[in-house]
Each structure stands twice: as structure tokens, then as C-alpha cells.
Amino acid sequence: MTGVEPYMFSNLGTLLLLAGIGFTARVVRRNRLWREAATSLWRRRRLALCVLGVYFAIALLDSVAWKGGVPVDAVGVLPNAPYSIVDRIFLGTVEASYSAPFASVEFYGGSSLRNPGTHPLGTDIIGRDVLYMALKGARVALLIGGLTSLIAIPLALLFGVGAGYFGGRFDDFVFFLISTLASMPGFLLLIALIMAMGRGTLSVCVALGVTSWVGFCRLSRAETLKLRELDYVRAARVLGVSEPGIIFRHILPNLAHLIVITFVLMFSGLVLSEAVLSWLGIGVDGSWGQMIDGARDELSREPIVWWNIAAAGTALFTLILSVNAVGDAVRDVLDPRTQGDAP
Amino acid sequence: MSPLLEIRDLRTAFPGARVGRGRGEPVHVVDGISFDLDRGEVLALVGESGSGKSITALSALRLVPKPGRVVAGEVRLDGKNLLELSVGEMRRIRGKRIAMIFQEPMTALNPVLRVGDQVVEAIQLHETVARADARARTRALFAEVGIPDPEERLDAYPHQLSGGLKQRVMIAMALSTRPELLIADEPTTALDVTMQAQILRLLRDLQRERRMAILLITHDLGIVNELADRIAVMYAGRLVELASRSDLLTNPLHPYARGLLAAIPALATPGTRLHEIPGVVPSASRWPTGCRFAPRCSERFEPCTVQDPVETTRPNGRRVYCHAVAEGRR
């Protein structure tokens, strides 16, 4: 065995994620208000939630990788590389060139395929299975949406709640930061950040996170300003609760519904932003955005190679549609302005 | 023995409005208030809205909303000046020795926490007790403040309780650490009349049982009659009269106190016009010179609009700030 390798971190991350989800589920189940919200959400958006579940399952199957157990003689297989479950299903299906969906001969040239009739969505210019690439994109998309939110939301809460609660100098500083960011063209800043940090999943996520926290920061600041003056916060102060105690016990839990709503609504925007970045050539490897970018020129071929872009576009579209549908429902369920009680 | 709470010449000011580049004169919302509160005594602080009664109480807790601050005076609890304590020391006094209940029970409980947990946390904040013990104490407190099915209510969320129950939870929370002084800021204003009566009776019983002092802030003289031992009438940031309940309610000396009493609807005969005090409370940024009530007073004479009224002390500790009383006109 060699030392620690990147795929091990990925496996560990997956494990932590599953533990986190288990923990969240436990919390939701034990708190009556959250449980009711979850049930109501399930009743409203069964289909969209199932679709998201499928995407998530695919991403999970693609996140756990190990070495060995691969047919070494197959085309394009590296004997000593880690392969995930999704990888293993499509191992050795590489063709020499384009195949149309379910075709038995190559799309250009007409010579017979290595695996005739086994590419439900065809292959791309270098013969990779399109279905395989589309499935691989799920993990990248969820990673971008999730990781970026994990960067942007805490950042927004730190500045927003801090500014709203403490006011004064810190508030001025945060507003200076916000207006500075707002006075720069967002996309140029994003591109500049990625260029400065170098390409890669993490730097794209950091760049997206740094440029997308402003909106939620304003929202959480305003909400904190409101909560700070409410009687139960004043009552806590009269009881002698310390400042951190008030923030963590009385302010943040009452922002929880906003955090959930923001997370869901932010998610789809982030995945789309990545597609745009990929189209500009600075996205994350293996994303749908990159597939779409790669398929751009192939639309001008004769006969047209359409399945490539169609697969990536459909996968992206379905994910965004489901997330947005769930997001709307989350807002309906949790937002006190559209419902009687805040959770 | 010194009284439990001594307030001496307390002045709380808010910075004035922006005038050009600078700021105007600071606005003294509380302007030289002094009174004592003994152990087990109920003192009512009575006055119209804007007279500074809530700010007086918040000043004693050092919780005046920003940017206001206490600019002068002393607040002594057991002889120790609270205004000189460190932030940490003050925090240990809040909730432990001085507790407060608020006007609005609807919003005074955190909506995302179970009410039992909120009381348990209040106990654990000031005492090292096991969670189970704190919970048992909370259950006993709930029973004491008259919450039916206390065991069940411990796990309820605030929105599942009625206004009266919430106010009882608030009282339980305030009493959980056995404070010596309870500040009740219009404790029944948001409740309906029958609930008001119940809560007042509860407060009175608890106060007697625990020998707890209460600083009752209200504009409702009916409540004062239920609870208070002594009454301090405030007007425009100053005390105008401080007397025992019976003295003040039967024989008010200060014209403003008389006006207030005359304005109680229950005492008026049907068909007659309700008495009112002409004019409105002046704004804190433009207190009149001399006696602040003078512009609305039917008995004012020469010194009233020029000189601050002098204190007249009667043998039983009654204090009146009025030129007319000082000169023996009344």
C-alpha cells in the first residue's frame, strides 16, 4: 500500500456527509415543528424529492472508490487507479469514435463498434459513453452546490449576524465590504479569483462562495436587527445570558428557516453558474457545463451529433427544476410570512 | 438595615438629534429620580407613556437601549452600586437577584425552544444543578404559578400556549432563581381582564410567600390598587409624588396625581364626561422650565414656570414636588 491518496479523502468525506445527514434526520425527527415541515414538504413535492434522491444516490455511488478488481485487459483501464461504483459499471465501454444511441456501427465511418448497441445515449468524439459522463456530472454538480453553500452561508451568517447584532464599527465594516463587492462586476471577479487560485473543484467553489454570500448577508443582518429587539432576546439579556449565548441560543435558531430556504434556492443558481464558467473554459472537470461546452462544436456537424448536449442539458435541467420546485415548497413550508407559525 | 434597592438622583440620557454636523443637547429621559424599595415591598411606578418609567427600570438593570446611557446617579442593591460593577458581575446579578417580566408574553418566549427548556436554562445559568433537578424544579414552579398539567406543558412550544399561560411561564422563569427583586413592566397590559385579575392575584400571592420586592411599572391605577404598598407617580422624567397607596389613592396632593385619579373610568358616574388632563406630555427634547407639569396645571402660579419645584416631605415619608404644596396652598 502506498500513502494517503485523494480518493481516500473523498471516501472519508462521503462517510462524514452520510453521518451528517443521519444526524440532521434525527434532529428533524425529534423536533416536532421540523418534522411537520418535512412531512408537509414530502406531501407537496414527492416527485421532485424522488428525482433529487436519484441524483444524490448516483453521486454517492460515484463518491466511494477503491483500487483493484478491474479487468486489466479492457481498453482505457488503468490497473492501479481507484474506480468508483459508477466507473466500474462502465469500465471498458470506450469506443474509437462517435456512436449514436443504441447503434451498432460508428456514426462517422461506419465501422463496427467494440460494444455494439450498449450505449443508450451514444458516445462522444473520443468514444466515451455519454450516459456515463452524464451520471458522473451528478456528483460534480452536487459537490459544487453543496460545498459552495457551505462556504457562502457561514460567511454570510458571520458577517450578517455580527453586523446586525453588534452594530457600530463592525456593521460599518461589513457594509463597506458588501458595497465594495457590489461595485465590482460579479462575473469578472469570479473569473479573476479562479485565475488567481488556479482551476480545480475547490477553487471554483471558493470563488463562487466568496462572490455569492452578499445577498444572504443582507438578509441575515436585517433579520438579526429585528430579532435583537424582540422581547425574548431582551428577556434573555435580563436573565443574564451572555452575548454568545444569546446569538447561538436565541438568534441563530430563529434564523434556521432562512438558512434552509437560502441553501435550497442558492443551490440551483450555483450549479448554473458553474455551467457558465465551464462554457468559458474555467469550470470543474467532469461537469455538465464542460460536456455542454465540448458538445458546442459538434452541433455544427453534418449529420448533427445531438445526444451529447441533450444528455448534459437534460441532466442539468432536471436537477435545477427539481431543486427549484423543492425550494419553492421549502419556502412555503418554512417562511413565516406565507404561513401561520415560524418553526 | 439599608433598603434592598436605592435609586439616587438617577439620570438617563439619549444623545440629541443630529443638528448640522454635531448633535443637539442630550435628551434626559429620566432626570433625577430617587426612591427606595424595601425587601418584600411592592412599589408601583405610575405615569403616562413617555414619562420614563420603563427606562428607570432598565437603567437599574443597566440595560438601557443604545444609544441611551445612565449619565449620573446611583443604583444600589444592598448598598452596592450596580452602575460600578463589571459587565460580568452585572450579568450574575441579572436574573439571579433582579428578575424582570415583560408586557408582551406573546413575544417574550423563544418560539423555537420548549418552554420547559427555557426555564431549565434560566436556572442552570445561575446555579450548578443537574438537568434533571432543574427540570423537577421547573415542574414545581409551573405548578406554583398555576399552570395545569405542568409535566405536559414542560415540553410545549410557546405557540401552543395561550397568552395567560405564556405569562405564567414568564413569571415561573423570572422566579426560577428566587430573585429578591422582581421588575414587572406592565405585566398584564396584553391580557384580557379576567386573566389580568388571575395574574395579579398570582403575583401578590407569590410576592407574599417569597417576601420578594416588586417594582411594578404600570399606567393602570386599578393594578396599583391590587398590588402596591407605595406608589411613585412619574411625570416627564421626574417624580412628582411618592406616597403610600392609601394616601395617594384617597388624598393625592400633586395636581397631576389628582388628575390621574380623576381620569379613572370606574370612578366616574355614568353619563358624565370623563375627566381629562388638558394637553399632552411634553417631548423629552423640550421639557418646560420650572415644574414640568405647569403648562397643563390648573393651579399654577408665578414660580411654577420658572423654578424647579422643591421637595416637600411629610412625616410618613410622603414626598411631593409641587410649589403649591410647598407653600401650603394645599
Side-chain angles (χ1 to χ4, degrees), chain B residues 26 63 66 69 99 109 118 128 155-156 185 200 214 264 285 288 294-295 298-299 302 316 319-320 330:
Chain B
L63 286 175
K66 280 178 195 169
R69 63 192 191 89
L109 293 167
Q118 298 191 42
T128 25
D155 292 324
D185 189 354
L200 287 176
I214 295 182
I264 300 177
S285 54
S298 55
E299 297 169 42
E302 303 79 46
N316 56 356
R319 277 152 54 195
V320 188
R330 284 192 55 83

Side-chain angles (χ1 to χ4, degrees), chain A residues 232 238-240 249-250 254 343, chain B residues 91 94 107 110 112 121 126:
Chain A
Y232 60 83
V238 169
L239 277 172
R249 203 70 181 129
H250 297 283
N254 282 294
Chain B
R91 196 155 61 221
R94 281 183 210 132
T107 55
N110 189 336
V112 300
E121 276 170 27
H126 294 283

Side-chain angles (χ1 to χ4, degrees), chain A residues 30-33 166 229-232 234-243 249-250 253-254 341-343, chain B residues 61 63 91 94-95 98-100 102 104 107-114 121-122 125-126 157 159-160 170 173:
Chain A
R30 284 173 58 179
N31 182 313
R32 209 181 57 82
L33 289 161
F166 295 109
E229 300 304 327
L230 282 189
D231 278 350
Y232 60 83
R234 288 171 54 207
R237 215 166 280 147
V238 169
L239 277 172
V241 181
S242 61
E243 305 284 356
R249 203 70 181 129
H250 297 283
N254 282 294
D341 282 332
Chain B
L61 282 166
L63 286 175
R91 196 155 61 221
R94 281 183 210 132
I98 308 178
M100 183 161 176
F102 290 91
E104 198 59 70
T107 55
L109 293 167
N110 189 336
V112 300
L113 299 179
R114 294 169 204 276
E121 276 170 27
L125 203 58
H126 294 283
Y157 286 94
H159 74 271
Q160 296 168 312
M170 280 302 298
M173 199 190 300

Side-chain angles (χ1 to χ4, degrees), chain A residues 77 123 140 150 197 211 273 279:
Chain A
V77 174
T123 65
V140 177
L150 223 57
M197 286 186 292
T211 49
S273 298
W279 192 78

Side-chain angles (χ1 to χ4, degrees), chain A residues 19 27 34 42 58 63 71-72 82 90 98-99 101 128 151 153 163 166 196 218 236 239 266 273 279 293 338 342-343:
Chain A
V27 169
W34 284 108
W42 170 245
I58 293 168
S63 296
V72 188
F90 289 93
Y98 284 119
S99 155
R128 289 176 296 183
I151 295 168
I153 290 180
F166 295 109
R218 280 179 200 275
L239 277 172
M266 207 173 176
S273 298
W279 192 78
D293 181 43
T338 55

Side-chain angles (χ1 to χ4, degrees), chain A residues 55-231:
Chain A
Y55 274 90
F56 190 72
I58 293 168
L60 272 187
L61 291 180
D62 194 27
S63 296
V64 182
W66 66 93
K67 288 180 174 181
V70 290
V72 188
D73 51 331
V75 182
V77 174
L78 302 169
N80 213 13
Y83 285 103
S84 75
I85 297 170
V86 173
D87 294 333
R88 281 159 201 272
I89 294 171
F90 289 93
L91 223 49
T93 58
V94 177
E95 300 291 344
S97 172
Y98 284 119
S99 155
F102 291 113
S104 55
V105 289
E106 270 174 17
F107 199 57
Y108 290 99
S111 51
S112 54
L113 293 165
R114 290 196 188 108
N115 304 291
T118 57
H119 302 290
L121 298 180
T123 65
D124 72 350
I125 190 166
I126 52 172
R128 289 176 296 183
D129 190 278
V130 171
L131 177 63
Y132 169 60
M133 290 168 72
L135 293 183
K136 287 288 269 187
R139 175 169 179 265
V140 177
L142 295 188
L143 200 63
I144 289 165
L147 201 60
T148 309
S149 306
L150 223 57
I151 295 168
I153 290 180
L155 202 65
L157 281 177
L158 178 73
F159 285 129
V161 174
Y165 190 78
F166 295 109
R169 287 266 166 84
F170 190 66
D171 195 18
D172 294 344
F173 166 71
V174 169
F175 252 74
F176 171 74
L177 220 60
I178 287 178
S179 28
T180 310
L181 273 178
S183 61
M184 289 187 251
F187 231 85
L188 288 185
L189 180 65
L190 191 59
I191 293 167
L193 280 172
I194 294 172
M195 292 305 184
M197 286 186 292
R199 289 184 53 193
T201 315
L202 194 64
S203 63
V204 169
C205 287
V206 169
L208 279 171
V210 166
T211 49
S212 60
W213 58 276
V214 172
F216 185 51
C217 180
R218 280 179 200 275
L219 184 66
S220 58
R221 174 182 171 275
E223 198 66 15
T224 308
L225 277 177
K226 190 188 90 189
L227 290 175
R228 185 179 72 164
E229 300 304 327
L230 282 189
D231 278 350

